[in-house]
């Protein structure tokens, strides 16, 4: 049976501690996947035959049970927050968001200011017959390339 074979391979992989576990190769292992090392307590019941006719199957079953016993589950009880705790978490996240947003706006304003200063300096040099230094031209081109698609920087002319 393919499903039992895949289940056996999955259990062996988990028992060895392999990172890659063949858990989606059959419907059975797909259904049992959350119980493999997850947040479930799993009980496995094995049946064996005392008949010598079934000795091969009995040995295979015992090996399967031994591999199952090597799998370590670390179930953790799910915890739920009260509505008040969710409100506190939401308020904290909103505060963090506003702080990050404010910092981003400050950095954008600083960048815009620097770009305007550089544009004025380059224009001033051009107006007085001089040429901006290659470093400043290169810097200005780099800044212009970074923000040329940004609608917030339309008022800064690329020289």
């Amino acid at each position: 049976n393919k499903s039992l074979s895949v289940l056996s391979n999955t259990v062996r992989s988990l028992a060895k501690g392999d990172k890659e576990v063949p858990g989606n190769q059959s419907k059975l292992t797909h259904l049992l996947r959350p119980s493999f090392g997850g947040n479930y307590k799993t009980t496995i019941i094995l049946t064996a035959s005392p008949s010598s006719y079934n000795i091969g199957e009995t040995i295979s079953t015992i090996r399967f049970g031994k591999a199952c016993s090597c799998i370590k589950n670390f179930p953790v009880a799910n915890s739920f927050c009260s509505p008040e705790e969710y409100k506190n978490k939401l308020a904290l996240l909103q505060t963090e968001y506003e702080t990050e947003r404010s910092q981003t706006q400050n950095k954008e304003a600083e960048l815009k200011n620097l770009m305007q200063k550089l544009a004025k300096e380059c224009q001033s040099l051009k107006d007085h017959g001089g040429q901006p230094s290659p470093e400043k031209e290169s810097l200005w081109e780099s800044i212009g390339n970074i923000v040329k698609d940004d609608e917030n920087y339309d008022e800064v002319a690329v020289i």
Side-chain angles (χ1 to χ4, degrees), residues 21-35:
V21 178
N24 283 333
Q25 295 178 355
S26 76
K27 289 181 182 180
L28 178 63
T29 54
H30 182 72
L31 289 171
L32 292 173
R33 188 175 186 150
S35 64

Side-chain angles (χ1 to χ4, degrees), residues 7 14 42 68 76 79 134 151-152:
L7 177 62
L14 288 168
T42 307
C68 289
V76 177
S79 62
E151 297 169 7
N152 295 329

Side-chain angles (χ1 to χ4, degrees), residues 76-152:
V76 177
N78 293 331
S79 62
F80 298 97
C81 296
S82 69
E84 190 63 34
E85 290 172 318
Y86 280 123
K87 286 178 186 177
N88 292 340
K89 286 181 181 183
L90 179 61
L92 179 65
L93 289 172
Q94 285 175 334
T95 303
E96 288 176 12
Y97 169 76
E98 289 301 326
T99 302
E100 292 292 326
R101 184 175 171 208
S102 174
Q103 289 174 351
T104 301
Q105 287 174 340
N106 290 342
K107 289 183 186 227
E108 286 176 349
E110 184 180 342
L111 177 61
K112 186 175 181 179
N113 187 25
L114 289 171
M115 288 171 48
Q116 288 172 342
K117 285 181 182 179
L118 184 58
K120 286 179 185 176
E121 187 175 331
C122 289
Q123 189 62 46
S124 174
L125 284 170
K126 285 183 178 181
D127 289 346
H128 292 90
Q131 290 295 322
S133 68
E135 296 87 22
K136 288 185 180 173
E137 279 289 342
S138 173
L139 177 63
W140 179 247
E141 283 181 28
S142 297
I143 292 172
N145 288 337
I146 292 171
V147 296
K148 73 179 175 183
D149 294 330
D150 193 337
E151 297 169 7
N152 295 329

